[in-house]
Amino acid sequence: MTAFEPTLAPPPPASGHRFDAERRWEATLELRFAARGGATRLTRARHCGPLRVQRPFYPEGPAGVCHLYLLHPPGGLVSGDALTISARVEAGAQALLTTPAANKLYRADSHGVAWRQATHLAVDDGGSLEWLPQETIAFDGSRGEQSTRIDLSGTARCLGWEVLALGRPASALPYRSGRLEQRFRLTRDGRPLWLERQPLDPTHPRFTGRWGQGGASVQATLWAVGLDDEPEAIEALRDALPASPRWAVTLRHGVLLLRYLGDERREAWALCEAAWRVLRPRLLGLEAQIPRIWLT
């Protein structure tokens, strides 16, 4: 069984970020799902600050996957915010977590104080978790860190994504200042399978260089772990998704990664959703069931 930490300790600050202990506004959410009576039940939902959940939904039937919507009433992060989300899926349970709207990362204050968001997902042997938040929009001048940690045990399965839009080009407000850092850590039975750190600084050459960000304003990463037919799944993705140089799929250490790099937020979202439709039946033996909140 994977050790589970109710509160995920924030990563050490990256150089270039200023955190102020006296201006730290914390919000935490701790969730736990368990198989009870042939169904998945939300057995724990503890919160502190402006993080909530709606009641569980079962659009796939009473014994189906438990769908849960994560709510952050402020709608975004400002200087000093510190959000921590932790969720554990116990053996035999199946959960899908999503959000009702895009997450917004607002411009830092005049002191350049950063925000921080940490997510810890743990799935026990025989459990499954789908982490499908709606996109994140970083405003010009935003400064902060996002970390995602996923701990799997035994035959646990997980599929998730992160879609990030930098600036608001449609409003002639590109991402020209600020600094973001994303970190991903995925392990199975304590063994690291995917470790990644990505700094995003519009003043650094790699932000515009063809060998780096290439000036793209939208990026997305989708992961799937636990597939039984990985090569066939990759071919299915290549057959089903529109051919484009803006996305690619790779497989390493049992982690399937689909990457998008471009300038269209809706294109990135549509690509991830289409990939989810292809991969979910292979990963969970279930057809994709769109969360109702995406249709509102």
Side-chain angles (χ1 to χ4, degrees), residues 158-172:
C158 183
L159 188 154
W161 65 48
E162 291 288 345
V163 179
L164 174 64
L166 300 167
R168 294 174 290 166
S171 301

Side-chain angles (χ1 to χ4, degrees), residues 3 6 17 28 46 92 135 164 179 203-204 206 230 263 266 281:
H17 278 161
T28 62
R46 297 179 179 175
E135 66 270 30
L164 174 64
R179 188 180 190 278
T203 66
H204 194 281
R206 68 172 162 265
E230 294 157 344
D263 296 294
R266 291 181 181 177

Side-chain angles (χ1 to χ4, degrees), residues 59-79:
E60 303 177 60
V65 177
C66 178
H67 290 221
L68 195 68
Y69 304 158
L70 309 184
L71 308 179
H72 182 225
L77 299 175
V78 300
S79 292

Side-chain angles (χ1 to χ4, degrees), residues 1-292:
M1 181 177 294
T2 299
F4 182 69
E5 302 171 8
T7 301
L8 177 61
S15 59
H17 278 161
R18 179 172 181 265
F19 296 95
D20 190 334
E22 295 182 357
R23 298 184 52 207
R24 179 179 171 88
W25 299 288
E26 295 193 49
T28 62
L29 178 65
E30 180 192 348
L31 306 172
R32 189 185 296 253
F33 300 86
R36 296 285 188 272
T40 296
R41 302 301 181 197
L42 176 65
T43 59
R44 180 178 298 171
R46 297 179 179 175
H47 75 271
C48 175
L51 274 174
R52 302 285 194 280
V53 293
Q54 282 190 322
R55 65 175 178 83
F57 294 93
Y58 295 88
E60 303 177 60
V65 177
C66 178
H67 290 221
L68 195 68
Y69 304 158
L70 309 184
L71 308 179
H72 182 225
L77 299 175
V78 300
S79 292
D81 281 354
L83 267 60
T84 301
I85 298 171
S86 55
R88 177 178 177 178
V89 180
E90 296 184 4
Q94 296 179 298
L96 183 155
L97 305 181
T98 187
T99 57
N103 182 30
K104 298 179 178 62
L105 310 177
Y106 292 108
R107 184 181 185 88
D109 62 14
S110 59
H111 300 286
V113 175
W115 49 263
R116 183 182 284 147
Q117 180 175 351
T119 302
H120 181 197
L121 311 174
V123 189
D124 289 348
D125 184 23
S128 72
L129 175 63
E130 296 165 270
W131 173 258
L132 311 176
Q134 297 205 45
E135 66 270 30
T136 295
I137 302 173
F139 287 32
D140 180 39
S142 182
R143 302 183 67 87
E145 296 178 358
Q146 283 184 317
S147 65
T148 302
R149 171 179 164 185
I150 306 166
D151 292 325
L152 308 179
S153 295
T155 61
R157 303 184 178 218
C158 183
L159 188 154
W161 65 48
E162 291 288 345
V163 179
L164 174 64
L166 300 167
R168 294 174 290 166
S171 301
L173 295 170
Y175 190 72
R176 290 178 174 168
S177 64
R179 188 180 190 278
L180 306 181
E181 181 170 314
Q182 289 187 320
R183 302 182 186 187
F184 294 93
R185 177 183 176 88
L186 188 151
T187 69
R188 185 183 292 280
D189 297 324
R191 178 192 172 203
L193 301 180
W194 172 36
L195 303 176
E196 184 170 296
R197 172 180 173 269
Q198 178 182 221
L200 293 167
D201 183 346
T203 66
H204 194 281
R206 68 172 162 265
F207 194 82
T208 54
R210 294 178 65 87
W211 50 274
Q213 186 81 4
S217 61
V218 179
Q219 61 183 51
T221 298
L222 177 147
W223 63 85
V225 192
L227 289 162
D228 296 323
D229 57 348
E230 294 157 344
E232 292 82 0
I234 290 176
E235 289 305 313
L237 284 174
R238 289 171 175 161
D239 290 341
L241 304 182
S244 170
R246 292 184 292 278
W247 69 268
V249 59
T250 60
L251 176 68
R252 187 169 178 81
H253 300 307
V255 181
L256 183 150
L257 290 175
L258 184 147
R259 311 276 197 173
Y260 170 90
L261 192 62
D263 296 294
E264 296 294 334
R265 179 162 52 101
R266 291 181 181 177
E267 181 182 44
W269 175 267
L271 183 76
C272 288
E273 185 178 327
W276 173 61
R277 289 178 180 274
V278 172
L279 295 174
R280 193 181 201 238
R282 295 174 175 272
L283 187 71
L284 305 179
L286 300 169
E287 295 298 321
Q289 182 74 38
I290 298 294
R292 288 180 289 179

